Amino acid sequence: MAEKKKYITHDDLRNHNKPGDLWISIQGKVYDVSDWINSHPGGDTIILNLVGQDVTDAFTAFHPGTAWHRLDSLFTGYHIGDYQISEVSRDYRRMATEFRKLGLFESKGHNTLYTLSFIAAMFAGVLYGVLACDSIVAHQIAAALLGLLWIQSAYIGHDSGHYVIMSNQKYNRIAQLISGNCLTGISIAWWKWTHNAHHLACNSLDYDPDLQHIPVFAVSTKFFNSMTSRFYDRKLTFDHVARFLISYQHFTYYPVMCFGRVNLFVQTFLLLFSRREVEDRVLNFAGILVFWTWFPLLVYCLPTWPERFLFVFTSFTVTALQHIQFTLNHFAADVYMGPPTGHDWFEKQAAGTLDITCVPYMDWFYGGLQFQLEHHLFPRLPRCNLRKVAPVVQELCKKHKLPYRSMSWWEANKLTVRTLKKAAYRARDKANPVVKNLVWEALNTHG
């Protein structure tokens, strides 16, 4: 005789959200992840932000088909008695199933081979320009090549962090460390920690680290209330310094992007030297040491200090293109307060992203991230297939009356600067709430 099913409600599930008592549900079945959280390859942040909820859509997005079989050992024996699926979620899951049947998650093309070959060729060009040429023009070309190399290497690190781009997991891990730590000086451990949280809590002001740039930038006036970052677990203080800097953020946006790489270096060291548990800390340190060996030595090979400074400045400035792209994808999109929720996965990703239109032969330049919504909905989908699924995603958004924003690079820049300008003028008004800023009034009255 078959064992009778045991049921709990969503309200019961929500009570299991404390350390040592962490439950989630997937397709109506309840799982206890209290112990598994310490072994979760994606880190604990994703699970902690969604415990006590149905996480079917998020699980579908982040995990391969093989992961479903591992759930059996975590099953509590309970089912959700009042389990329901929205039409959006139903269509999203159906879409993911169809993509899997078509083999789109396994069909990776030759992007990795082409990009790695391109990186190797650029590195050879950088070495030749610095070591074999005396011309300052040649040195500047080499610096620009190095910046482009860092951009393309970051895309390899990004791809390998979401899915296996090599023949197996071991080689994939090596690709992560080389493309991230060794070539760019940015820890893959730091990237995983922040990037997984960003995907899960896309454009949540207090949960998404990619929007938390106080005191330099604020995309929403809600930051003026000195909110607490639930990711960094600290207060984002809106003080006099922050108010001053944000008041001019639409002017400082591009100059700051030129030095965005410095912030990534700092964030890497802050994590690796922190008391937080870091996966493969020693390997991450070793990779960073490789970078901080070859890069200073390369710069020192230049004949004068002015040339060395100019070389570093140029290489960093070229990478600003990538930092700008990352912000274009989200700064001007919709934002919200609070933790991510499992029942509106598709809706939150659609609201918090912005695609960049480009011709197919420029896909290499954007690393696939111009299809930002498609990537957020299917982070494991190889970038060569993002363009293929874009029309299907667009139709689904249209069917459910959800936003699908896609615009040119220049239009996205204008929208992002406009967003920053609006918050900047509000920051100035906050400094003097009685006497309104007449320029801001004029702009908002007449458009």
Side-chain angles (χ1 to χ4, degrees), residues 95 99 371 374 385-398 404:
M95 184 189 300
F99 291 168
F371 296 107
E374 290 77 7
N385 294 324
L386 291 172
R387 184 175 287 276
K388 297 176 184 176
V389 306
V392 184
V393 172
Q394 188 171 1
E395 281 301 312
L396 188 57
C397 288
K398 183 178 179 181
Y404 184 92

Side-chain angles (χ1 to χ4, degrees), residues 150 179-187 261 264-265 268-269 287-288 291-292:
W150 282 336
S179 62
N181 299 51
C182 298
L183 283 180
T184 69
I186 301 168
S187 167
R261 196 152 213 84
L264 301 185
F265 293 152
T268 285
F269 282 114
I288 295 301
F291 173 82
W292 287 109

Side-chain angles (χ1 to χ4, degrees), residues 358-367 370-371 387:
C358 76
V359 290
Y361 63 78
M362 284 298 292
D363 284 351
W364 68 273
F365 180 77
Y366 295 96
Q370 72 275 29
F371 296 107
R387 184 175 287 276

Side-chain angles (χ1 to χ4, degrees), residues 257-326:
M257 292 296 106
C258 292
F259 298 97
R261 196 152 213 84
V262 176
N263 176 56
L264 301 185
F265 293 152
V266 171
Q267 295 300 322
T268 285
F269 282 114
L270 287 176
L271 176 63
L272 294 184
F273 281 106
S274 72
R275 294 181 180 180
R276 181 180 177 82
E277 186 175 339
V278 178
E279 181 185 7
D280 296 331
R281 190 189 298 265
V282 174
L283 278 177
N284 273 271
F285 264 121
I288 295 301
L289 181 61
V290 169
F291 173 82
W292 287 109
T293 299
W294 74 260
F295 180 55
L297 284 176
L298 179 70
V299 175
Y300 192 72
C301 289
L302 294 168
T304 65
W305 280 107
E307 274 206 55
R308 292 166 187 163
F309 172 81
L310 196 58
F311 182 90
V312 173
F313 176 77
T314 300
S315 60
F316 282 19
T317 300
V318 170
T319 63
L321 292 170
Q322 188 173 63
H323 300 310
I324 291 169
Q325 178 189 343
F326 293 160

Side-chain angles (χ1 to χ4, degrees), residues 118-151 294-295 298-299 301-303 307-319:
F118 188 31
I119 290 172
M122 285 191 290
F123 196 67
V126 171
L127 294 177
Y128 180 82
V130 171
L131 303 177
C133 300
D134 297 324
S135 165
I136 188 174
V137 174
H139 295 161
Q140 284 299 289
I141 293 174
L145 270 180
L146 181 58
L148 187 57
L149 181 155
W150 282 336
I151 290 175
W294 74 260
F295 180 55
L298 179 70
V299 175
C301 289
L302 294 168
E307 274 206 55
R308 292 166 187 163
F309 172 81
L310 196 58
F311 182 90
V312 173
F313 176 77
T314 300
S315 60
F316 282 19
T317 300
V318 170
T319 63

Side-chain angles (χ1 to χ4, degrees), residues 84-376:
Q84 293 181 336
I85 309 174
S86 71
E87 286 303 312
V88 178
S89 288
R90 194 185 304 277
D91 284 346
Y92 169 64
R93 296 173 196 179
R94 187 182 297 120
M95 184 189 300
T97 301
E98 287 301 317
F99 291 168
R100 191 173 292 110
K101 288 180 179 178
L102 291 172
L104 295 183
F105 290 99
E106 304 303 324
S107 175
K108 300 169 186 175
H110 301 292
N111 278 329
T112 300
L113 176 62
Y114 296 152
T115 306
L116 289 175
S117 300
F118 188 31
I119 290 172
M122 285 191 290
F123 196 67
V126 171
L127 294 177
Y128 180 82
V130 171
L131 303 177
C133 300
D134 297 324
S135 165
I136 188 174
V137 174
H139 295 161
Q140 284 299 289
I141 293 174
L145 270 180
L146 181 58
L148 187 57
L149 181 155
W150 282 336
I151 290 175
Q152 293 300 315
S153 189
Y155 290 146
I156 288 291
H158 177 266
D159 290 348
S160 63
H162 278 298
Y163 56 92
V164 178
I165 64 172
M166 309 301 282
S167 57
N168 57 50
Q169 286 281 3
K170 178 182 177 181
Y171 291 132
N172 196 69
R173 183 63 179 153
I174 294 173
Q176 290 176 349
L177 289 169
I178 292 177
S179 62
N181 299 51
C182 298
L183 283 180
T184 69
I186 301 168
S187 167
I188 192 67
W190 170 83
W191 177 87
K192 280 186 175 181
W193 178 49
T194 60
H195 196 67
N196 286 339
H198 159 67
H199 265 267
L200 186 70
C202 178
N203 272 32
S204 166
L205 295 176
D206 48 342
Y207 280 81
D208 184 353
D210 283 11
L211 290 187
Q212 297 171 1
H213 302 295
I214 296 289
V216 183
F217 295 131
V219 298
S220 169
T221 57
K222 289 184 173 65
F223 281 114
F224 300 168
N225 298 320
S226 295
M227 72 175 64
T228 297
S229 167
R230 302 302 175 184
F231 178 80
Y232 293 111
D233 194 26
R234 62 178 173 83
K235 196 171 186 178
L236 304 174
T237 305
F238 184 74
D239 53 18
H240 294 292
V241 174
R243 186 176 62 209
F244 174 78
L245 294 175
I246 291 169
S247 293
Y248 298 96
Q249 63 181 358
H250 50 305
F251 294 119
T252 61
Y253 171 62
Y254 292 110
V256 168
M257 292 296 106
C258 292
F259 298 97
R261 196 152 213 84
V262 176
N263 176 56
L264 301 185
F265 293 152
V266 171
Q267 295 300 322
T268 285
F269 282 114
L270 287 176
L271 176 63
L272 294 184
F273 281 106
S274 72
R275 294 181 180 180
R276 181 180 177 82
E277 186 175 339
V278 178
E279 181 185 7
D280 296 331
R281 190 189 298 265
V282 174
L283 278 177
N284 273 271
F285 264 121
I288 295 301
L289 181 61
V290 169
F291 173 82
W292 287 109
T293 299
W294 74 260
F295 180 55
L297 284 176
L298 179 70
V299 175
Y300 192 72
C301 289
L302 294 168
T304 65
W305 280 107
E307 274 206 55
R308 292 166 187 163
F309 172 81
L310 196 58
F311 182 90
V312 173
F313 176 77
T314 300
S315 60
F316 282 19
T317 300
V318 170
T319 63
L321 292 170
Q322 188 173 63
H323 300 310
I324 291 169
Q325 178 189 343
F326 293 160
T327 57
L328 297 184
N329 289 141
H330 296 286
F331 270 22
D334 298 342
V335 298
Y336 68 99
M337 289 288 294
T341 49
H343 63 81
D344 57 357
W345 171 262
F346 194 108
E347 293 92 328
K348 287 283 177 61
Q349 305 302 325
T353 54
L354 188 152
D355 284 12
I356 307 295
T357 57
C358 76
V359 290
Y361 63 78
M362 284 298 292
D363 284 351
W364 68 273
F365 180 77
Y366 295 96
L369 299 184
Q370 72 275 29
F371 296 107
Q372 191 66 196
L373 175 55
E374 290 77 7
H375 170 63
H376 267 255

Side-chain angles (χ1 to χ4, degrees), residues 420-439:
L420 294 173
K421 179 188 280 189
K422 184 176 180 179
Y425 283 133
R426 292 290 182 89
R428 297 180 192 180
D429 286 346
K430 192 170 182 67
N432 187 1
V434 177
V435 181
K436 288 290 186 180
N437 186 300
L438 295 180
V439 177

